């Protein structure tokens, strides 16, 4: 089991990064928020979970142990595999996910592509009592200043190869439209906006 990978970031794509550790390049699947914090050519450390299937061995990477633990917890729900667990963490940051599960907020959970009303209900029933057992990352704050969110999104878009001016314009128009959007939601909106202009 590969529990973490530390090394130089060789490449960053929309859904994964390649990190070279001890001469081996590991492809690590990650959420847009995690990928947004990485920079080509710099060193990074990701906590990882390795999923072994008959036809594949896939690494999933996280910037903190809380996200990694929530990823594993989500997969205990019948019908939720690694892909759907990743999609959930891409849409709902750890704090928002905890809140949605403990409050039984089906609307928040059904915003995740691939989760319908029945799936959301199953998640709430199976995880409501277990989610508090996952330790929160020390110093994690539910509220990030708007400027910090803007900087994170612009940085993430730059990391994905967009020119800074385009990245800033897309980010500003998304945040002006939905100022209460979480970082992951705003990043996805900015990406879809930039996708239309390419």
């Amino acid at each position: 089991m590969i529990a973490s990978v530390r090394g130089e970031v060789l490449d960053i794509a929309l859904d994964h990064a390649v990190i070279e550790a001890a001469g081996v390049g590991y492809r690590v699947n990650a959420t847009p928020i995690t990928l947004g914090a990485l920079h080509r050519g710099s060193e990074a450390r990701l906590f990882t979970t390795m999923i072994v299937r008959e036809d594949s061995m896939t690494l999933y990477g996280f910037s903190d142990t809380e996200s990694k633990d929530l990823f594993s917890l989500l997969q205990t729900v019948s019908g939720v595999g690694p892909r759907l667990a990743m999609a959930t963490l891409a849409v709902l940051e750890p704090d928002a996910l905890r809140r949605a599960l403990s409050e039984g907020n089906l609307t928040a959970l059904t915003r995740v592509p691939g989760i319908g009303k029945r799936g959301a209900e199953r998640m709430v029933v199976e995880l409501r009592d277990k989610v508090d057992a996952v330790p929160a990352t020390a110093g994690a704050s539910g509220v990030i200043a708007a400027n910090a969110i803007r900087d994170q999104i612009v940085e993430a878009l730059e990391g994905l190869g967009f020119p800074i001016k385009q990245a800033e314009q897309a980010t500003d128009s998304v945040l002006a439209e939905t100022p209460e959007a979480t970082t992951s939601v705003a990043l996805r909106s900015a990406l879809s906006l930039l996708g239309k202009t390419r």
Side-chain angles (χ1 to χ4, degrees), residues 125-136:
V125 169
E126 293 187 31
L127 301 181
R128 176 179 268 157
D129 300 329
K130 297 179 188 172
V131 77
D132 291 332
V134 176

Side-chain angles (χ1 to χ4, degrees), residues 31-34 64 66-67 70 86-100 111-112 141-144 149 152-153 181-188:
T31 62
I33 294 299
T34 303
D64 55 65
E66 180 185 13
S67 299
L70 287 170
M86 269 318 241
T88 305
L89 287 169
V91 173
L92 299 166
E93 288 166 6
D95 283 348
L97 178 58
R98 284 172 182 278
R99 225 175 14 257
R111 285 206 325 257
V112 178
S141 157
V143 180
I144 299 173
I149 288 181
Q152 281 181 347
I153 296 166
T182 62
T183 313
S184 53
V185 170
L187 178 58
R188 269 202 323 285

Side-chain angles (χ1 to χ4, degrees), residues 13 15-19 24-29 48 57-61:
D15 64 346
H16 71 274
V18 178
I19 298 176
V24 178
Y26 293 92
R27 179 192 158 121
V28 185
N29 290 359
T48 56
M57 290 196 298
T58 313
L59 269 181
Y60 294 88

Side-chain angles (χ1 to χ4, degrees), residues 17-135:
V18 178
I19 298 176
E20 184 176 326
V24 178
Y26 293 92
R27 179 192 158 121
V28 185
N29 290 359
T31 62
I33 294 299
T34 303
L35 294 170
L38 304 178
H39 304 285
R40 275 188 194 89
S42 66
E43 187 168 289
R45 178 183 180 184
L46 293 178
F47 298 96
T48 56
T49 295
M50 188 173 188
I51 306 285
V52 179
R53 296 270 190 263
E54 242 177 66
D55 57 346
S56 68
M57 290 196 298
T58 313
L59 269 181
Y60 294 88
F62 310 91
S63 54
D64 55 65
T65 52
E66 180 185 13
S67 299
K68 179 184 170 177
D69 293 344
L70 287 170
F71 174 73
S72 300
L73 183 66
L74 284 165
Q75 290 177 77
T76 63
V77 178
S78 58
V80 177
R83 204 170 269 174
L84 197 50
M86 269 318 241
T88 305
L89 287 169
V91 173
L92 299 166
E93 288 166 6
D95 283 348
L97 178 58
R98 284 172 182 278
R99 225 175 14 257
L101 291 170
S102 58
E103 294 170 2
N105 186 344
L106 302 182
T107 310
L109 293 168
T110 52
R111 285 206 325 257
V112 178
I115 295 181
K117 188 169 184 271
R118 198 171 278 168
E121 286 168 350
R122 194 164 48 236
M123 281 172 110
V124 168
V125 169
E126 293 187 31
L127 301 181
R128 176 179 268 157
D129 300 329
K130 297 179 188 172
V131 77
D132 291 332
V134 176

